[in-house]
Amino acid sequence: MTAAEQRPGAPMPPAADGRHSDGPTPGGPTPGAPTSGGSTPGGGRPPRRWLKAVIVFLLITIPAGYLVISAIQSRNGGEDKAEAASAKGLEAGYPTRVQRRIYDVPVPPYSKKVAFYETNSWKVSSLYVQFVTSSDGLDSFLHQIGTGRSALDKGKVTITGAQAKKVGWHVGEAGHDWAGMEFKQKDPQPKLRITVKFDNPAHPKVYVVSTVTP
């Protein structure tokens, strides 16, 4: 019996190419490694298909949801702005001198409850004005714009319902003494709708909508 046979547990000497004769064969599995394929690096489980599907779904739907929400908020924001502009209504005080000159609305001095509201667009601009004046103040106002009290038609309301609603006027209500006129001038001069409430003849309340077409 040789010395090698007497020591069966001793390692064999390396082969000429530097590899042990009893090591793994080229291309063979590494000791301790799984024998089946499909494993991910590091030995973890491969991701499940349903998880990938959920991720893809979320990546698609979440941005779309944000777009829908943004569109709704934008639309609501526009509606809110329009409502706010409409709700602003009349502003207490005299219109500026420039406004009075452009719209041809010479509010008499010492008038009471004076308020105004201006709207502008590329098609038309309007100035809404109300005031309470004296009988002489009404005559002066009508004279300055180029007309007179005789042009007022008793019982006539010339301001439209849409115009009155825009600023909260209640012109034309039953039980009041109304008179009105439309004062038309050549473009680009303004056109005026004038309605007067004569419940108190000594202090008539005047409503004016002056419209300018650029």
Side-chain angles (χ1 to χ4, degrees):
M1 180 179 294
T2 64
E5 291 174 340
Q6 293 177 355
R7 292 179 297 171
M12 296 295 293
D17 58 359
R19 292 179 297 175
H20 292 281
S21 59
D22 58 349
T25 58
T30 303
T35 56
S36 59
S39 61
T40 58
R45 290 186 177 182
R48 299 181 180 180
R49 292 182 178 179
W50 67 265
L51 183 58
K52 290 183 178 179
V54 169
I55 293 173
V56 172
F57 175 78
L58 292 175
L59 290 175
I60 295 174
T61 56
I62 290 177
Y66 280 127
L67 290 175
V68 171
I69 293 172
S70 177
I72 293 173
Q73 290 177 339
S74 177
R75 183 189 65 185
N76 292 341
E79 292 174 352
D80 292 342
K81 289 178 181 179
E83 291 176 359
S86 178
K88 181 180 178 181
L90 296 166
E91 180 179 344
Y94 280 71
T96 66
R97 290 183 180 179
V98 173
Q99 288 174 316
R100 282 177 275 170
R101 184 175 67 251
I102 291 174
Y103 291 98
D104 199 8
V105 184
V107 181
Y110 309 109
S111 295
K112 304 297 183 180
K113 298 182 180 179
V114 183
F116 70 96
Y117 177 70
E118 184 180 17
T119 62
N120 296 289
S121 72
W122 67 276
K123 287 185 177 181
V124 65
S125 297
S126 298
L127 181 68
Y128 296 69
V129 184
Q130 71 173 43
F131 57 89
V132 175
T133 185
S134 64
S135 181
D136 290 341
L138 174 61
D139 290 334
S140 174
F141 165 72
L142 295 173
H143 176 73
Q144 287 186 66
I145 65 175
T147 185
R149 192 183 291 235
S150 61
L152 292 170
D153 292 334
K154 187 174 178 60
K156 186 174 183 179
V157 175
T158 55
I159 294 172
T160 68
Q163 290 172 331
K165 184 178 180 181
K166 186 178 290 292
V167 292
W169 285 343
H170 300 286
V171 295
E173 288 185 335
H176 299 281
D177 188 4
W178 301 101
M181 62 174 289
E182 291 185 55
F183 186 68
K184 298 181 180 180
Q185 306 178 90
K186 293 182 179 180
D187 291 334
Q189 292 178 298
K191 297 176 177 61
L192 284 74
R193 291 177 177 267
I194 303 170
T195 297
V196 184
K197 184 166 68 173
F198 283 105
D199 289 5
N200 183 350
H203 297 284
K205 186 169 185 178
V206 182
Y207 302 86
V208 184
V209 177
S210 177
T211 302
V212 175
T213 304

